[in-house]
Amino acid sequence: MPLPPPAGSSIPRADVQAVLVTGDTTWVQGSAASLPKRLTCAGLDLLILLLFITVVAIILTGGGATHVAGSTIRVRGVENPIWILTALVVARYAFGDCPVFGARRWPVGLVLRRGTALMVAIPSAAGRRFRYPVVALTIVAIVVFGIRVFLAWSSPGFFSGDDVEIHEMTLGALLGKPWPVWNLRCAFFPMTFVYPAQWLAMQVGWSSPDALVLAGRTVVALVSTAAVPLVWHVARQVAPDEPRLGALAVILLSINKLQMSFGSSELPRPVSTTLVLAAFFYAMKNTPIRSVLAGLLLGTAVALRFSEVVFIPAALVTIPRERYVANASVLLIFAGGMAATIIGLSDQLYWGHPFSSLAAAIDYSVVQRQSSRGYEPPWEYLRIIPSWSTYVFVALAVLGTSRRDPYGWWLWLPIGILSLLPHKESRYLLPVIPFFCIAVASGLLRLTFWFEQTIAVEGQRQWTRDLAPPLLLLAVLHDVGGWRLSRSNEGVRLAGHLTSTGMVGLAVQDSWRLGGRPYLWPLDPVTEMSSATLTNEVALAAALKYATFVALRSRVARTVGDPVLQAHGYTRDPGWRGEDYALYAKAR
């Protein structure tokens, strides 16, 4: 899909700005509104302002929990407030051109026009800022890396059992503790990226679990930040004469909720994102050596996470037609050879058998059709759009792609293939996000070009144009509000509390939330228990045999745990206070 002409090529910008900034249109009046209507609009304005402040506060602080009438109200995310804000903004617009907060000099039409002026100006301003791309990209990359490291440090808990398992693999080898782990994970990523950073941290005396976890996350943050300059070069390759596309793509990637949140984790997909993006850069050039490099990068990405194989069909679709067979064959051979070499060798070294993790993964998910989280329908990624982006950005991405755009194939084809797999999570889409950001940037350029054409020749209200600025702002806030991963920070705090007592013996529910063995090994023996254990006397007796402490999720503790554990001689530990866990100590 060809991009719109550069800014200023259609209507004189002075004419556009005069309409946008002054609000000199046929419908900007505001004095004719009745008093009840003005009061209603002022009430909506107040609600919008209060909710906007609430969203910003949640973004800055991460939210919190309050207790009202014996109930706990947790406010952690911005999604629900933004949905309410969106409804209020649309309702406010539907009331017509009432003054903002009753001030007649600020009719809503003028406010929206100035928002549209800013929206039209942002792409050109971004393009000018990237006139010296090395400086601009360096600054953006440093800021992005710093934010990711801060998020990793300020939120030491864990997202799922997967991230705990990575540390059990690396720290088990580093500390000489043969902890058993699930054999579905290829050892290449943990032992190549996370382990060296933790070994280096140990050499300088950083031996606490918190420090070792942060070391592993810092490496992922560093490697994944390389996607920032890469997306600029990819966008410039796609549209050499349009620097605004690259500048907007960089900005969108830097604020994307998936890239920022998981870029502060120890999971492999932020790293494979960088490799896939580099593979796209090389695959678009019609030379044998670039096809070799693209294949090697894709093969390495597949070794990091098996699901990254979905980008090989996208590469085959978009390889230039000239000498297609030769270049496609080279890419396939080197991608397959690289993936086979890495997986086979790393599995042999860690598990003792080549390809054991790949065979176990296929057996578990395909042959046995098992899943630790269940299966979802093919349209799941559409249903969970707010977990990986926003509806506004998805609409812009659709507007910004066509069959002629190679980045569109690397965006929609992998999503389509992943939708056919039984198990789906938003983080599986991490490697498509750079292509998504390029598509959104292209769609935004098309939209602003249309604004420039229509706003100077039309004076009437037009909801698409008028509501675009506030909805785009809410989309940005939604992405920024998703930077913080939902992690088990309280669980890690509980693990520190338990180890500080110097006692041993723990029965715990969801031990991964406490950091698993890297945090809990000083408390050995540690026994995993579930809510069902509390209702099975034989299983409960086995779980409590060596347990000085019992840690249960709060809801289970309230409904089942208190009477059962009291009957076995355990009481609530007065030294522990938490929202997620209840701690019991054996009565002496």
Side-chain angles (χ1 to χ4, degrees), residues 30-365:
S31 58
S34 63
L35 180 61
K37 188 175 182 180
R38 290 203 302 271
L39 291 175
T40 302
C41 290
L44 289 173
D45 292 335
L46 180 61
L47 289 175
I48 290 171
L49 179 61
L50 292 176
L51 266 177
F52 181 81
I53 293 173
T54 301
V55 168
V56 173
I58 294 172
I59 291 173
L60 294 177
T61 64
T66 58
H67 301 278
V68 178
S71 299
T72 302
I73 301 175
R74 293 179 175 87
V75 182
R76 303 292 186 189
V78 300
E79 185 173 339
N80 288 334
I82 284 181
W83 275 117
I84 299 172
L85 257 177
T86 302
L88 290 175
V89 167
V90 173
R92 179 65 174 87
Y93 179 75
F95 267 90
D97 193 40
C98 288
V100 177
F101 287 112
R104 295 187 178 183
R105 295 184 60 186
W106 289 0
V108 69
L110 177 58
V111 174
L112 292 174
R113 285 299 196 271
R114 287 177 174 170
T116 308
L118 181 62
M119 185 174 168
V120 170
I122 283 175
S124 297
R128 287 194 300 271
R129 293 294 181 185
F130 279 80
R131 186 172 299 172
Y132 304 100
V134 174
V135 176
L137 290 172
T138 301
I139 294 173
V140 173
I142 290 174
V143 171
V144 168
F145 174 70
I147 292 174
R148 290 177 178 178
V149 173
F150 171 76
L151 292 173
W153 169 80
S154 62
S155 185
F158 295 91
F159 168 74
S160 68
D162 291 351
D163 39 5
V164 174
E165 185 179 84
I166 287 172
H167 294 294
E168 290 179 341
M169 294 177 72
T170 58
L171 294 180
L174 187 62
L175 302 176
K177 297 182 179 297
W179 294 326
V181 294
W182 207 10
N183 64 344
L184 269 66
R185 183 177 301 280
C186 177
F188 172 63
F189 170 76
M191 305 310 294
T192 304
F193 291 89
V194 178
Y195 178 86
Q198 294 178 333
W199 178 87
L200 183 60
M202 288 282 288
Q203 303 311 303
V204 298
W206 298 346
S207 58
S208 69
D210 287 346
L212 295 173
V213 168
L214 180 60
R217 292 176 179 176
T218 301
V219 170
V220 174
L222 181 63
V223 177
S224 63
T225 301
V228 170
L230 270 175
V231 80
W232 162 264
H233 290 292
V234 166
R236 296 291 284 146
Q237 179 176 268
V238 171
D241 299 327
E242 183 52 275
R244 297 181 299 168
L245 181 69
L248 286 174
V250 167
I251 294 171
L252 290 166
L253 182 69
S254 300
I255 66 172
N256 177 263
K257 63 190 303 180
L258 273 190
Q259 285 293 318
M260 289 299 290
S261 59
F262 285 97
S264 68
S265 75
E266 54 279 277
L267 296 171
R269 283 191 176 87
V271 175
S272 67
T273 298
T274 300
L275 298 178
V276 168
L277 192 55
F280 176 89
F281 178 79
Y282 287 118
M284 292 303 99
K285 295 294 185 179
N286 197 15
T287 64
I289 187 62
R290 287 178 175 265
S291 296
V292 170
L293 292 172
L296 294 175
L297 288 164
L298 283 177
T300 306
V302 171
L304 289 175
R305 288 304 296 165
F306 301 144
S307 60
E308 262 62 323
V309 72
V310 299
F311 288 96
I312 293 180
L316 296 178
V317 170
T318 55
I319 287 176
R321 298 300 97 183
E322 185 182 355
R323 292 180 294 181
Y324 174 82
V325 174
N327 287 327
S329 300
V330 167
L331 186 146
L332 271 176
I333 291 171
F334 279 88
M338 190 67 169
T341 300
I342 293 175
I343 296 171
L345 184 59
S346 59
D347 280 0
Q348 174 65 45
L349 293 174
Y350 191 90
W351 298 112
H353 302 283
F355 304 106
S356 62
S357 65
L358 179 60
I362 293 175
D363 178 68
Y364 181 79
S365 59

Side-chain angles (χ1 to χ4, degrees), residues 471-490:
L471 294 183
L472 184 63
L473 174 61
L474 292 177
V476 171
L477 290 175
H478 186 276
D479 255 10
V480 175
W483 285 3
R484 299 174 187 266
L485 271 181
S486 178
R487 288 189 171 123
S488 61
N489 297 327
E490 181 183 305

Side-chain angles (χ1 to χ4, degrees), residues 503-517:
M503 299 180 182
V504 297
L506 171 67
V508 58
Q509 184 182 3
D510 296 334
S511 62
W512 70 265
R513 299 186 68 86
L514 278 68
R517 297 179 186 90

Side-chain angles (χ1 to χ4, degrees), residues 376-382 414-422 424:
E376 295 79 22
W379 55 85
E380 181 70 8
Y381 288 121
L382 291 177
I415 291 179
I417 297 175
L418 289 172
S419 296
L420 299 178
L421 300 179
K424 304 167 187 70

